[in-house]
Amino acid sequence: AINITGARAVAEQASRAQVKRLIHISALGIEQVDARYAVTKRAGEVAVRTVFPQATILRPSLIIGEGDGFFGRFLPMSKYSPFLPLIDHGRTLFQPVLASDVADAIFNAMTTDASAGCTYAIAGPQVFSFKALLELMLRVAGRKRLLLYVPTTIARCLGAVCERLPMVPVITRDQVRMLACNSIDDGTLPGLKDLGITPRSIGDGLNF
């Protein structure tokens, strides 16, 4: 509903109001994944472009900042749990980008006429594996925790159970599917540098 219907509704209202520039936030690494998140994100891009052809689409990798969905999820877990899960051996690759760089990208895209109708890969300067990101988080936080390898089949079962709990799930089956694909810039799209931004290391934004 959010990724498709909501995105289309925003584009329709922007078109009716004769808005000059529309920036749509999608996600990097959704091109060839069958996860529901990826499928709906791709459909949302099509819906926006159909209604508002000159929309600028930004595809960020993992966004890092206060309250983010990665460190913000695993750091509290590391406070109480003696271990952290490594799904599929923690091999999934990310090119995390600071939230402030994403904000700058949005601003520059809005104020650059050449970005109209373009799609950008929004990624940081370094590639990390899932495992390396957890190791970085623990090192910065000054904590030692066991990184436990969790086979994909078991992770899916765990996701199925977590989805039925009343609280926000630690992991879902769809997130496990997303971890089957890397979220990195393959060089086929213009990126932050094309928007006049030199991406900073995520180490600049870590403050646990």
Side-chain angles (χ1 to χ4, degrees), residues 6 57 62 81 103 108 112 120 124 145 168 176 198:
I57 295 176
L62 193 64
S81 175
N108 287 5
T112 304
Y120 292 85
R145 296 292 185 270
V168 176
V176 174
T198 300

Side-chain angles (χ1 to χ4, degrees), residues 27-77:
L28 200 58
I30 60 171
E31 295 83 357
Q32 298 178 340
V33 193
D34 64 353
R36 190 180 183 193
Y37 176 82
V39 171
T40 56
K41 274 293 191 180
R42 292 199 300 266
E45 289 187 5
V46 173
V48 168
R49 276 277 168 75
T50 299
V51 177
F52 202 115
Q54 292 304 302
T56 300
I57 295 176
L58 304 184
R59 291 180 179 174
S61 183
L62 193 64
I63 299 177
I64 300 300
E66 185 176 353
D68 67 57
F70 187 86
F71 293 134
R73 178 186 298 264
F74 289 106
L75 186 63
M77 189 188 304

Side-chain angles (χ1 to χ4, degrees), residues 15-183:
S15 180
R16 289 195 188 101
Q18 297 183 338
V19 168
K20 293 181 179 180
R21 300 304 308 278
L22 174 64
I23 312 298
H24 175 69
I25 307 299
S26 186
L28 200 58
I30 60 171
E31 295 83 357
Q32 298 178 340
V33 193
D34 64 353
R36 190 180 183 193
Y37 176 82
V39 171
T40 56
K41 274 293 191 180
R42 292 199 300 266
E45 289 187 5
V46 173
V48 168
R49 276 277 168 75
T50 299
V51 177
F52 202 115
Q54 292 304 302
T56 300
I57 295 176
L58 304 184
R59 291 180 179 174
S61 183
L62 193 64
I63 299 177
I64 300 300
E66 185 176 353
D68 67 57
F70 187 86
F71 293 134
R73 178 186 298 264
F74 289 106
L75 186 63
M77 189 188 304
S78 72
K79 186 176 181 180
Y80 303 104
S81 175
F83 69 89
L84 295 175
L86 282 181
I87 299 169
D88 192 26
H89 294 272
R91 293 176 292 197
T92 308
L93 299 179
F94 299 93
Q95 206 164 339
V97 58
L98 290 178
S100 55
D101 284 342
V102 177
D104 288 341
I106 293 170
F107 178 83
N108 287 5
M110 283 193 300
T111 55
T112 304
D113 290 339
S115 71
C118 295
T119 299
Y120 292 85
I122 307 300
Q126 297 168 284
V127 175
F128 294 84
S129 67
F130 185 89
K131 179 182 179 182
L133 283 172
L134 290 182
E135 290 173 336
L136 173 63
M137 179 194 76
L138 292 172
R139 185 165 62 251
V140 173
R143 296 174 186 168
K144 292 185 178 181
R145 296 292 185 270
L146 175 67
L147 297 181
L148 182 65
Y149 293 118
V150 179
T152 301
T153 51
I154 294 179
R156 286 175 180 167
C157 293
L158 180 62
V161 173
C162 289
E163 289 171 10
R164 289 166 172 76
L165 298 177
M167 63 199 71
V168 176
V170 174
I171 194 164
T172 67
R173 286 172 292 178
D174 206 59
Q175 288 172 334
V176 174
R177 294 189 190 98
M178 283 298 297
L179 286 173
C181 187
N182 298 325
S183 178

